[in-house]
Amino acid sequence: MRQRILPQPDTPLRGPYNAVIIGAGVHGLGLAYNLAKRGMDHIAVFDKSYIGSGASGRNTTLIRSAFTTPEWINFFQESVRLWEGLSEELGFNVM
């Protein structure tokens, strides 16, 4: 059984928030993380279930490299660079 780490529905919110993000998957958490890295505080991430409960938590890790345009190739290379340092930056094994 997975531990619920989000507040229970009857827990009062601690707003006001500067940003509210709906969805605690890879995109929502990535957005919240990058906003915080750039100095934004008071960020709330809401999900109907636990963190990573959707496709982000069920899919295998895949780094796709079948891109053909220079823009996509540059985007891919930067994504890999960021991914390679993410575990160290977070102090947590993201795999």
Side-chain angles (χ1 to χ4, degrees), residues 80-92:
V80 170
R81 186 190 70 74
L82 292 170
W83 175 255
E84 289 173 339
L86 190 58
S87 288
E88 184 176 337
E89 185 175 331
L90 295 174
F92 175 80

Side-chain angles (χ1 to χ4, degrees), residues 45-78:
V45 180
F46 295 99
D47 201 287
K48 66 181 175 181
S49 192
Y50 55 88
I51 291 174
S53 65
S56 297
R58 291 191 303 270
N59 293 331
T60 59
T61 302
L62 172 68
I63 298 177
R64 188 179 137 210
S65 62
F67 301 116
T68 58
T69 65
E71 295 81 10
W72 277 112
I73 291 168
N74 291 337
F75 181 78
F76 167 74
Q77 289 173 334
E78 179 64 9

Side-chain angles (χ1 to χ4, degrees), residues 12-45:
L13 299 176
R14 292 187 263 166
Y17 299 108
N18 292 324
V20 173
I21 299 165
I22 307 301
V26 68
H27 289 101
L29 294 178
L31 176 59
Y33 179 69
N34 281 286
L35 288 173
K37 276 179 61 173
R38 286 161 178 77
M40 183 179 282
D41 57 1
H42 304 289
I43 302 167
V45 180

